[in-house]
Amino acid sequence: MIQRIQSLFLLLAAVSDFSLFEKYMAFAKWKTPDTPNAGPFMHDGLLNVYDNPFAIALALISGLASLAAVFLYRNRRVQASVAYWGATDTSLILMALIAYLTFTQVGQNVSEFTVGWVPLVATIIFNLLAVHFIKKDERLVRSADRLR
């Protein structure tokens, strides 16, 4: 299980996804904390995962899907689909939600984009690499079955 490279990529994806729950892992900062369009959670001047309940749910689902895919090593097709549809697409939806929150609720007051985007992009990359190696492993098993 753990000796396979895709398991390592899935674990790295889960770790990078759960790192979004670090309190100061913000996606953006803005100049004035009293932004008129900002929601009730955005009073600290930082846009992080805790500022929207959907963002919390999406980050949690994506991390748990990556972690669950590690243990689905006996069925590679299910593992690949959980890694791709469960984790990668959820991370893409989370990225779109964070971009929407950044540009609609904070708007012109954004002073800088911070490092919170790095784990989000890393999660997507790690999951896509895991899916690639799962499919490669599946092709190897099929070719070995043909030789028998």
Side-chain angles (χ1 to χ4, degrees), residues 12-47:
L12 287 172
V15 166
S16 66
D17 223 353
F18 289 133
S19 72
L20 292 174
F21 289 105
E22 180 66 33
K23 184 176 180 175
Y24 295 105
M25 186 66 73
F27 297 105
K29 291 182 184 179
W30 54 86
K31 300 170 190 165
T32 57
D34 299 329
T35 303
N37 291 337
F41 300 108
M42 298 184 197
H43 56 34
D44 57 353
L46 298 173
L47 177 65

PDB file of all heavy atoms in Angstrom, residues 12-47:
ATOM      1  N   LEU A  12       0.348  13.215   0.330  1.00  0.00           N
ATOM      2  CA  LEU A  12       0.780  14.614   0.202  1.00  0.00           C
ATOM      3  C   LEU A  12      -0.390  15.527  -0.142  1.00  0.00           C
ATOM      4  O   LEU A  12      -0.474  16.661   0.342  1.00  0.00           O
ATOM      5  CB  LEU A  12       1.878  14.733  -0.854  1.00  0.00           C
ATOM      6  CG  LEU A  12       3.245  14.201  -0.464  1.00  0.00           C
ATOM      7  CD1 LEU A  12       4.175  14.202  -1.662  1.00  0.00           C
ATOM      8  CD2 LEU A  12       3.830  15.017   0.673  1.00  0.00           C
ATOM      9  N   ALA A  13      -1.311  15.035  -0.961  1.00  0.00           N
ATOM     10  CA  ALA A  13      -2.502  15.824  -1.292  1.00  0.00           C
ATOM     11  C   ALA A  13      -3.371  16.037  -0.059  1.00  0.00           C
ATOM     12  O   ALA A  13      -3.886  17.138   0.169  1.00  0.00           O
ATOM     13  CB  ALA A  13      -3.299  15.134  -2.388  1.00  0.00           C
ATOM     14  N   ALA A  14      -3.526  15.002   0.754  1.00  0.00           N
ATOM     15  CA  ALA A  14      -4.331  15.135   1.969  1.00  0.00           C
ATOM     16  C   ALA A  14      -3.670  16.098   2.956  1.00  0.00           C
ATOM     17  O   ALA A  14      -4.350  16.937   3.559  1.00  0.00           O
ATOM     18  CB  ALA A  14      -4.535  13.770   2.623  1.00  0.00           C
ATOM     19  N   VAL A  15      -2.355  16.009   3.103  1.00  0.00           N
ATOM     20  CA  VAL A  15      -1.645  16.912   4.020  1.00  0.00           C
ATOM     21  C   VAL A  15      -1.749  18.356   3.542  1.00  0.00           C
ATOM     22  O   VAL A  15      -2.004  19.270   4.337  1.00  0.00           O
ATOM     23  CB  VAL A  15      -0.173  16.477   4.174  1.00  0.00           C
ATOM     24  CG1 VAL A  15       0.660  17.556   4.832  1.00  0.00           C
ATOM     25  CG2 VAL A  15      -0.082  15.184   4.963  1.00  0.00           C
ATOM     26  N   SER A  16      -1.575  18.566   2.242  1.00  0.00           N
ATOM     27  CA  SER A  16      -1.673  19.941   1.746  1.00  0.00           C
ATOM     28  C   SER A  16      -3.100  20.464   1.836  1.00  0.00           C
ATOM     29  O   SER A  16      -3.315  21.655   2.049  1.00  0.00           O
ATOM     30  CB  SER A  16      -1.143  20.035   0.319  1.00  0.00           C
ATOM     31  OG  SER A  16      -1.962  19.325  -0.558  1.00  0.00           O
ATOM     32  N   ASP A  17      -4.081  19.589   1.707  1.00  0.00           N
ATOM     33  CA  ASP A  17      -5.466  20.021   1.854  1.00  0.00           C
ATOM     34  C   ASP A  17      -5.798  20.357   3.307  1.00  0.00           C
ATOM     35  O   ASP A  17      -6.461  21.348   3.587  1.00  0.00           O
ATOM     36  CB  ASP A  17      -6.402  18.936   1.352  1.00  0.00           C
ATOM     37  CG  ASP A  17      -7.521  19.494   0.519  1.00  0.00           C
ATOM     38  OD1 ASP A  17      -7.636  20.715   0.442  1.00  0.00           O
ATOM     39  OD2 ASP A  17      -8.253  18.708  -0.064  1.00  0.00           O
ATOM     40  N   PHE A  18      -5.338  19.521   4.227  1.00  0.00           N
ATOM     41  CA  PHE A  18      -5.609  19.800   5.635  1.00  0.00           C
ATOM     42  C   PHE A  18      -4.784  20.980   6.161  1.00  0.00           C
ATOM     43  O   PHE A  18      -5.117  21.547   7.198  1.00  0.00           O
ATOM     44  CB  PHE A  18      -5.375  18.560   6.494  1.00  0.00           C
ATOM     45  CG  PHE A  18      -6.424  17.501   6.288  1.00  0.00           C
ATOM     46  CD1 PHE A  18      -6.064  16.179   6.089  1.00  0.00           C
ATOM     47  CD2 PHE A  18      -7.765  17.817   6.273  1.00  0.00           C
ATOM     48  CE1 PHE A  18      -7.024  15.203   5.898  1.00  0.00           C
ATOM     49  CE2 PHE A  18      -8.735  16.858   6.077  1.00  0.00           C
ATOM     50  CZ  PHE A  18      -8.365  15.544   5.888  1.00  0.00           C
ATOM     51  N   SER A  19      -3.716  21.359   5.445  1.00  0.00           N
ATOM     52  CA  SER A  19      -2.959  22.540   5.872  1.00  0.00           C
ATOM     53  C   SER A  19      -3.739  23.827   5.632  1.00  0.00           C
ATOM     54  O   SER A  19      -3.391  24.873   6.183  1.00  0.00           O
ATOM     55  CB  SER A  19      -1.607  22.600   5.159  1.00  0.00           C
ATOM     56  OG  SER A  19      -1.781  22.952   3.806  1.00  0.00           O
ATOM     57  N   LEU A  20      -4.802  23.760   4.839  1.00  0.00           N
ATOM     58  CA  LEU A  20      -5.652  24.937   4.644  1.00  0.00           C
ATOM     59  C   LEU A  20      -6.376  25.328   5.925  1.00  0.00           C
ATOM     60  O   LEU A  20      -6.846  26.457   6.059  1.00  0.00           O
ATOM     61  CB  LEU A  20      -6.680  24.678   3.542  1.00  0.00           C
ATOM     62  CG  LEU A  20      -6.149  24.541   2.131  1.00  0.00           C
ATOM     63  CD1 LEU A  20      -7.268  24.136   1.198  1.00  0.00           C
ATOM     64  CD2 LEU A  20      -5.513  25.824   1.678  1.00  0.00           C
ATOM     65  N   PHE A  21      -6.469  24.401   6.861  1.00  0.00           N
ATOM     66  CA  PHE A  21      -7.156  24.687   8.120  1.00  0.00           C
ATOM     67  C   PHE A  21      -6.253  25.390   9.132  1.00  0.00           C
ATOM     68  O   PHE A  21      -6.683  25.668  10.246  1.00  0.00           O
ATOM     69  CB  PHE A  21      -7.731  23.402   8.724  1.00  0.00           C
ATOM     70  CG  PHE A  21      -8.906  22.884   7.957  1.00  0.00           C
ATOM     71  CD1 PHE A  21      -8.786  21.785   7.135  1.00  0.00           C
ATOM     72  CD2 PHE A  21     -10.125  23.522   8.029  1.00  0.00           C
ATOM     73  CE1 PHE A  21      -9.858  21.309   6.417  1.00  0.00           C
ATOM     74  CE2 PHE A  21     -11.214  23.064   7.317  1.00  0.00           C
ATOM     75  CZ  PHE A  21     -11.078  21.949   6.508  1.00  0.00           C
ATOM     76  N   GLU A  22      -5.010  25.649   8.757  1.00  0.00           N
ATOM     77  CA  GLU A  22      -4.144  26.461   9.605  1.00  0.00           C
ATOM     78  C   GLU A  22      -4.739  27.866   9.656  1.00  0.00           C
ATOM     79  O   GLU A  22      -5.134  28.426   8.638  1.00  0.00           O
ATOM     80  CB  GLU A  22      -2.726  26.483   9.025  1.00  0.00           C
ATOM     81  CG  GLU A  22      -1.739  27.274   9.807  1.00  0.00           C
ATOM     82  CD  GLU A  22      -1.454  26.684  11.172  1.00  0.00           C
ATOM     83  OE1 GLU A  22      -1.476  25.456  11.327  1.00  0.00           O
ATOM     84  OE2 GLU A  22      -1.228  27.490  12.096  1.00  0.00           O
ATOM     85  N   LYS A  23      -4.776  28.438  10.837  1.00  0.00           N
ATOM     86  CA  LYS A  23      -5.496  29.698  11.028  1.00  0.00           C
ATOM     87  C   LYS A  23      -4.948  30.835  10.165  1.00  0.00           C
ATOM     88  O   LYS A  23      -5.694  31.647   9.644  1.00  0.00           O
ATOM     89  CB  LYS A  23      -5.443  30.093  12.499  1.00  0.00           C
ATOM     90  CG  LYS A  23      -6.240  31.334  12.789  1.00  0.00           C
ATOM     91  CD  LYS A  23      -6.273  31.661  14.246  1.00  0.00           C
ATOM     92  CE  LYS A  23      -7.085  32.920  14.459  1.00  0.00           C
ATOM     93  NZ  LYS A  23      -7.255  33.245  15.837  1.00  0.00           N
ATOM     94  N   TYR A  24      -3.649  30.894  10.007  1.00  0.00           N
ATOM     95  CA  TYR A  24      -3.062  32.004   9.263  1.00  0.00           C
ATOM     96  C   TYR A  24      -2.707  31.636   7.828  1.00  0.00           C
ATOM     97  O   TYR A  24      -1.937  32.335   7.191  1.00  0.00           O
ATOM     98  CB  TYR A  24      -1.831  32.526  10.007  1.00  0.00           C
ATOM     99  CG  TYR A  24      -2.215  33.114  11.332  1.00  0.00           C
ATOM    100  CD1 TYR A  24      -1.971  32.440  12.516  1.00  0.00           C
ATOM    101  CD2 TYR A  24      -2.891  34.327  11.394  1.00  0.00           C
ATOM    102  CE1 TYR A  24      -2.355  32.965  13.725  1.00  0.00           C
ATOM    103  CE2 TYR A  24      -3.285  34.861  12.599  1.00  0.00           C
ATOM    104  CZ  TYR A  24      -3.017  34.174  13.760  1.00  0.00           C
ATOM    105  OH  TYR A  24      -3.406  34.689  14.951  1.00  0.00           O
ATOM    106  N   MET A  25      -3.272  30.556   7.311  1.00  0.00           N
ATOM    107  CA  MET A  25      -3.090  30.190   5.908  1.00  0.00           C
ATOM    108  C   MET A  25      -4.163  30.918   5.107  1.00  0.00           C
ATOM    109  O   MET A  25      -5.201  30.369   4.758  1.00  0.00           O
ATOM    110  CB  MET A  25      -3.195  28.678   5.731  1.00  0.00           C
ATOM    111  CG  MET A  25      -2.881  28.186   4.343  1.00  0.00           C
ATOM    112  SD  MET A  25      -1.204  28.408   3.823  1.00  0.00           S
ATOM    113  CE  MET A  25      -0.380  27.177   4.787  1.00  0.00           C
ATOM    114  N   ALA A  26      -3.918  32.178   4.843  1.00  0.00           N
ATOM    115  CA  ALA A  26      -4.908  33.030   4.192  1.00  0.00           C
ATOM    116  C   ALA A  26      -4.709  33.028   2.677  1.00  0.00           C
ATOM    117  O   ALA A  26      -3.614  32.778   2.182  1.00  0.00           O
ATOM    118  CB  ALA A  26      -4.794  34.449   4.723  1.00  0.00           C
ATOM    119  N   PHE A  27      -5.784  33.317   1.970  1.00  0.00           N
ATOM    120  CA  PHE A  27      -5.731  33.423   0.517  1.00  0.00           C
ATOM    121  C   PHE A  27      -5.490  34.860   0.082  1.00  0.00           C
ATOM    122  O   PHE A  27      -4.892  35.095  -0.957  1.00  0.00           O
ATOM    123  CB  PHE A  27      -7.030  32.921  -0.105  1.00  0.00           C
ATOM    124  CG  PHE A  27      -7.290  31.477   0.169  1.00  0.00           C
ATOM    125  CD1 PHE A  27      -8.234  31.091   1.100  1.00  0.00           C
ATOM    126  CD2 PHE A  27      -6.576  30.501  -0.488  1.00  0.00           C
ATOM    127  CE1 PHE A  27      -8.472  29.765   1.357  1.00  0.00           C
ATOM    128  CE2 PHE A  27      -6.802  29.168  -0.226  1.00  0.00           C
ATOM    129  CZ  PHE A  27      -7.754  28.792   0.694  1.00  0.00           C
ATOM    130  N   ALA A  28      -5.982  35.813   0.864  1.00  0.00           N
ATOM    131  CA  ALA A  28      -5.818  37.216   0.510  1.00  0.00           C
ATOM    132  C   ALA A  28      -5.873  38.068   1.773  1.00  0.00           C
ATOM    133  O   ALA A  28      -6.468  37.683   2.780  1.00  0.00           O
ATOM    134  CB  ALA A  28      -6.906  37.661  -0.461  1.00  0.00           C
ATOM    135  N   LYS A  29      -5.225  39.214   1.696  1.00  0.00           N
ATOM    136  CA  LYS A  29      -5.319  40.241   2.743  1.00  0.00           C
ATOM    137  C   LYS A  29      -5.902  41.481   2.101  1.00  0.00           C
ATOM    138  O   LYS A  29      -5.744  41.714   0.915  1.00  0.00           O
ATOM    139  CB  LYS A  29      -3.928  40.589   3.279  1.00  0.00           C
ATOM    140  CG  LYS A  29      -3.274  39.517   4.075  1.00  0.00           C
ATOM    141  CD  LYS A  29      -1.929  40.027   4.581  1.00  0.00           C
ATOM    142  CE  LYS A  29      -1.197  38.930   5.314  1.00  0.00           C
ATOM    143  NZ  LYS A  29       0.116  39.393   5.785  1.00  0.00           N
ATOM    144  N   TRP A  30      -6.573  42.266   2.906  1.00  0.00           N
ATOM    145  CA  TRP A  30      -7.058  43.525   2.370  1.00  0.00           C
ATOM    146  C   TRP A  30      -6.701  44.661   3.296  1.00  0.00           C
ATOM    147  O   TRP A  30      -6.349  44.457   4.450  1.00  0.00           O
ATOM    148  CB  TRP A  30      -8.539  43.504   2.036  1.00  0.00           C
ATOM    149  CG  TRP A  30      -9.451  43.079   3.137  1.00  0.00           C
ATOM    150  CD1 TRP A  30      -9.987  43.848   4.112  1.00  0.00           C
ATOM    151  CD2 TRP A  30      -9.946  41.762   3.366  1.00  0.00           C
ATOM    152  NE1 TRP A  30     -10.784  43.103   4.928  1.00  0.00           N
ATOM    153  CE2 TRP A  30     -10.776  41.830   4.489  1.00  0.00           C
ATOM    154  CE3 TRP A  30      -9.776  40.550   2.723  1.00  0.00           C
ATOM    155  CZ2 TRP A  30     -11.425  40.710   4.992  1.00  0.00           C
ATOM    156  CZ3 TRP A  30     -10.424  39.462   3.224  1.00  0.00           C
ATOM    157  CH2 TRP A  30     -11.242  39.546   4.343  1.00  0.00           C
ATOM    158  N   LYS A  31      -6.811  45.864   2.735  1.00  0.00           N
ATOM    159  CA  LYS A  31      -6.295  47.050   3.412  1.00  0.00           C
ATOM    160  C   LYS A  31      -7.077  47.387   4.673  1.00  0.00           C
ATOM    161  O   LYS A  31      -6.509  47.602   5.725  1.00  0.00           O
ATOM    162  CB  LYS A  31      -6.323  48.242   2.446  1.00  0.00           C
ATOM    163  CG  LYS A  31      -5.491  48.029   1.225  1.00  0.00           C
ATOM    164  CD  LYS A  31      -5.750  49.119   0.207  1.00  0.00           C
ATOM    165  CE  LYS A  31      -5.077  48.720  -1.089  1.00  0.00           C
ATOM    166  NZ  LYS A  31      -5.549  49.495  -2.205  1.00  0.00           N
ATOM    167  N   THR A  32      -8.370  47.451   4.549  1.00  0.00           N
ATOM    168  CA  THR A  32      -9.190  47.838   5.689  1.00  0.00           C
ATOM    169  C   THR A  32     -10.041  46.663   6.119  1.00  0.00           C
ATOM    170  O   THR A  32     -10.781  46.092   5.313  1.00  0.00           O
ATOM    171  CB  THR A  32     -10.112  49.017   5.331  1.00  0.00           C
ATOM    172  OG1 THR A  32     -10.906  48.642   4.225  1.00  0.00           O
ATOM    173  CG2 THR A  32      -9.306  50.253   5.003  1.00  0.00           C
ATOM    174  N   PRO A  33      -9.973  46.272   7.381  1.00  0.00           N
ATOM    175  CA  PRO A  33     -10.815  45.170   7.846  1.00  0.00           C
ATOM    176  C   PRO A  33     -12.300  45.479   7.808  1.00  0.00           C
ATOM    177  O   PRO A  33     -13.115  44.594   7.847  1.00  0.00           O
ATOM    178  CB  PRO A  33     -10.352  44.951   9.281  1.00  0.00           C
ATOM    179  CG  PRO A  33      -9.005  45.557   9.355  1.00  0.00           C
ATOM    180  CD  PRO A  33      -8.998  46.674   8.368  1.00  0.00           C
ATOM    181  N   ASP A  34     -12.670  46.742   7.714  1.00  0.00           N
ATOM    182  CA  ASP A  34     -14.080  47.124   7.701  1.00  0.00           C
ATOM    183  C   ASP A  34     -14.601  47.266   6.275  1.00  0.00           C
ATOM    184  O   ASP A  34     -15.211  48.259   5.914  1.00  0.00           O
ATOM    185  CB  ASP A  34     -14.273  48.443   8.449  1.00  0.00           C
ATOM    186  CG  ASP A  34     -13.862  48.327   9.903  1.00  0.00           C
ATOM    187  OD1 ASP A  34     -14.004  47.221  10.449  1.00  0.00           O
ATOM    188  OD2 ASP A  34     -13.397  49.311  10.470  1.00  0.00           O
ATOM    189  N   THR A  35     -14.364  46.273   5.458  1.00  0.00           N
ATOM    190  CA  THR A  35     -14.846  46.273   4.085  1.00  0.00           C
ATOM    191  C   THR A  35     -16.362  46.127   4.107  1.00  0.00           C
ATOM    192  O   THR A  35     -16.881  45.239   4.775  1.00  0.00           O
ATOM    193  CB  THR A  35     -14.200  45.127   3.298  1.00  0.00           C
ATOM    194  OG1 THR A  35     -12.786  45.276   3.379  1.00  0.00           O
ATOM    195  CG2 THR A  35     -14.633  45.135   1.863  1.00  0.00           C
ATOM    196  N   PRO A  36     -17.097  46.976   3.385  1.00  0.00           N
ATOM    197  CA  PRO A  36     -18.556  46.932   3.481  1.00  0.00           C
ATOM    198  C   PRO A  36     -19.188  45.639   2.959  1.00  0.00           C
ATOM    199  O   PRO A  36     -20.193  45.203   3.483  1.00  0.00           O
ATOM    200  CB  PRO A  36     -19.008  48.126   2.639  1.00  0.00           C
ATOM    201  CG  PRO A  36     -17.843  48.519   1.827  1.00  0.00           C
ATOM    202  CD  PRO A  36     -16.621  48.040   2.520  1.00  0.00           C
ATOM    203  N   ASN A  37     -18.628  45.014   1.944  1.00  0.00           N
ATOM    204  CA  ASN A  37     -19.221  43.798   1.380  1.00  0.00           C
ATOM    205  C   ASN A  37     -18.754  42.532   2.068  1.00  0.00           C
ATOM    206  O   ASN A  37     -19.229  41.454   1.754  1.00  0.00           O
ATOM    207  CB  ASN A  37     -18.902  43.690  -0.114  1.00  0.00           C
ATOM    208  CG  ASN A  37     -19.617  44.746  -0.911  1.00  0.00           C
ATOM    209  OD1 ASN A  37     -20.632  45.267  -0.473  1.00  0.00           O
ATOM    210  ND2 ASN A  37     -19.085  45.083  -2.058  1.00  0.00           N
ATOM    211  N   ALA A  38     -17.782  42.632   2.945  1.00  0.00           N
ATOM    212  CA  ALA A  38     -17.227  41.431   3.581  1.00  0.00           C
ATOM    213  C   ALA A  38     -18.264  40.796   4.495  1.00  0.00           C
ATOM    214  O   ALA A  38     -19.078  41.457   5.122  1.00  0.00           O
ATOM    215  CB  ALA A  38     -15.983  41.792   4.378  1.00  0.00           C
ATOM    216  N   GLY A  39     -18.219  39.480   4.540  1.00  0.00           N
ATOM    217  CA  GLY A  39     -19.170  38.740   5.349  1.00  0.00           C
ATOM    218  C   GLY A  39     -18.871  38.854   6.835  1.00  0.00           C
ATOM    219  O   GLY A  39     -17.914  39.510   7.256  1.00  0.00           O
ATOM    220  N   PRO A  40     -19.670  38.205   7.660  1.00  0.00           N
ATOM    221  CA  PRO A  40     -19.506  38.335   9.107  1.00  0.00           C
ATOM    222  C   PRO A  40     -18.231  37.679   9.638  1.00  0.00           C
ATOM    223  O   PRO A  40     -17.763  38.035  10.707  1.00  0.00           O
ATOM    224  CB  PRO A  40     -20.745  37.630   9.661  1.00  0.00           C
ATOM    225  CG  PRO A  40     -21.168  36.696   8.585  1.00  0.00           C
ATOM    226  CD  PRO A  40     -20.788  37.353   7.298  1.00  0.00           C
ATOM    227  N   PHE A  41     -17.665  36.752   8.885  1.00  0.00           N
ATOM    228  CA  PHE A  41     -16.468  36.067   9.367  1.00  0.00           C
ATOM    229  C   PHE A  41     -15.185  36.782   8.972  1.00  0.00           C
ATOM    230  O   PHE A  41     -14.119  36.451   9.451  1.00  0.00           O
ATOM    231  CB  PHE A  41     -16.418  34.636   8.813  1.00  0.00           C
ATOM    232  CG  PHE A  41     -17.598  33.813   9.206  1.00  0.00           C
ATOM    233  CD1 PHE A  41     -18.559  33.478   8.289  1.00  0.00           C
ATOM    234  CD2 PHE A  41     -17.748  33.390  10.518  1.00  0.00           C
ATOM    235  CE1 PHE A  41     -19.653  32.718   8.652  1.00  0.00           C
ATOM    236  CE2 PHE A  41     -18.842  32.637  10.890  1.00  0.00           C
ATOM    237  CZ  PHE A  41     -19.800  32.304   9.956  1.00  0.00           C
ATOM    238  N   MET A  42     -15.271  37.714   8.058  1.00  0.00           N
ATOM    239  CA  MET A  42     -14.078  38.338   7.494  1.00  0.00           C
ATOM    240  C   MET A  42     -13.661  39.605   8.227  1.00  0.00           C
ATOM    241  O   MET A  42     -13.197  40.553   7.622  1.00  0.00           O
ATOM    242  CB  MET A  42     -14.318  38.651   6.025  1.00  0.00           C
ATOM    243  CG  MET A  42     -14.571  37.453   5.191  1.00  0.00           C
ATOM    244  SD  MET A  42     -14.734  37.925   3.484  1.00  0.00           S
ATOM    245  CE  MET A  42     -15.506  36.505   2.808  1.00  0.00           C
ATOM    246  N   HIS A  43     -13.807  39.648   9.517  1.00  0.00           N
ATOM    247  CA  HIS A  43     -13.479  40.861  10.266  1.00  0.00           C
ATOM    248  C   HIS A  43     -11.996  41.022  10.550  1.00  0.00           C
ATOM    249  O   HIS A  43     -11.552  42.080  10.961  1.00  0.00           O
ATOM    250  CB  HIS A  43     -14.251  40.901  11.573  1.00  0.00           C
ATOM    251  CG  HIS A  43     -14.022  39.690  12.440  1.00  0.00           C
ATOM    252  ND1 HIS A  43     -12.843  39.014  12.508  1.00  0.00           N
ATOM    253  CD2 HIS A  43     -14.856  39.023  13.261  1.00  0.00           C
ATOM    254  CE1 HIS A  43     -12.933  37.998  13.334  1.00  0.00           C
ATOM    255  NE2 HIS A  43     -14.163  37.971  13.796  1.00  0.00           N
ATOM    256  N   ASP A  44     -11.186  39.988  10.325  1.00  0.00           N
ATOM    257  CA  ASP A  44      -9.771  40.047  10.672  1.00  0.00           C
ATOM    258  C   ASP A  44      -8.885  40.551   9.550  1.00  0.00           C
ATOM    259  O   ASP A  44      -7.680  40.691   9.730  1.00  0.00           O
ATOM    260  CB  ASP A  44      -9.281  38.676  11.140  1.00  0.00           C
ATOM    261  CG  ASP A  44      -9.494  37.582  10.114  1.00  0.00           C
ATOM    262  OD1 ASP A  44     -10.148  37.850   9.093  1.00  0.00           O
ATOM    263  OD2 ASP A  44      -9.006  36.461  10.348  1.00  0.00           O
ATOM    264  N   GLY A  45      -9.433  40.832   8.384  1.00  0.00           N
ATOM    265  CA  GLY A  45      -8.634  41.325   7.274  1.00  0.00           C
ATOM    266  C   GLY A  45      -7.962  40.222   6.474  1.00  0.00           C
ATOM    267  O   GLY A  45      -7.164  40.513   5.602  1.00  0.00           O
ATOM    268  N   LEU A  46      -8.288  38.972   6.757  1.00  0.00           N
ATOM    269  CA  LEU A  46      -7.722  37.833   6.045  1.00  0.00           C
ATOM    270  C   LEU A  46      -8.853  36.982   5.468  1.00  0.00           C
ATOM    271  O   LEU A  46      -9.866  36.770   6.127  1.00  0.00           O
ATOM    272  CB  LEU A  46      -6.893  36.950   6.978  1.00  0.00           C
ATOM    273  CG  LEU A  46      -5.668  37.548   7.632  1.00  0.00           C
ATOM    274  CD1 LEU A  46      -5.087  36.574   8.642  1.00  0.00           C
ATOM    275  CD2 LEU A  46      -4.637  37.903   6.589  1.00  0.00           C
ATOM    276  N   LEU A  47      -8.670  36.526   4.263  1.00  0.00           N
ATOM    277  CA  LEU A  47      -9.627  35.602   3.670  1.00  0.00           C
ATOM    278  C   LEU A  47      -9.023  34.207   3.767  1.00  0.00           C
ATOM    279  O   LEU A  47      -8.043  33.895   3.114  1.00  0.00           O
ATOM    280  CB  LEU A  47      -9.900  35.947   2.206  1.00  0.00           C
ATOM    281  CG  LEU A  47     -10.834  35.004   1.471  1.00  0.00           C
ATOM    282  CD1 LEU A  47     -12.227  35.058   2.063  1.00  0.00           C
ATOM    283  CD2 LEU A  47     -10.876  35.321  -0.003  1.00  0.00           C
TER     284      LEU A  47
END
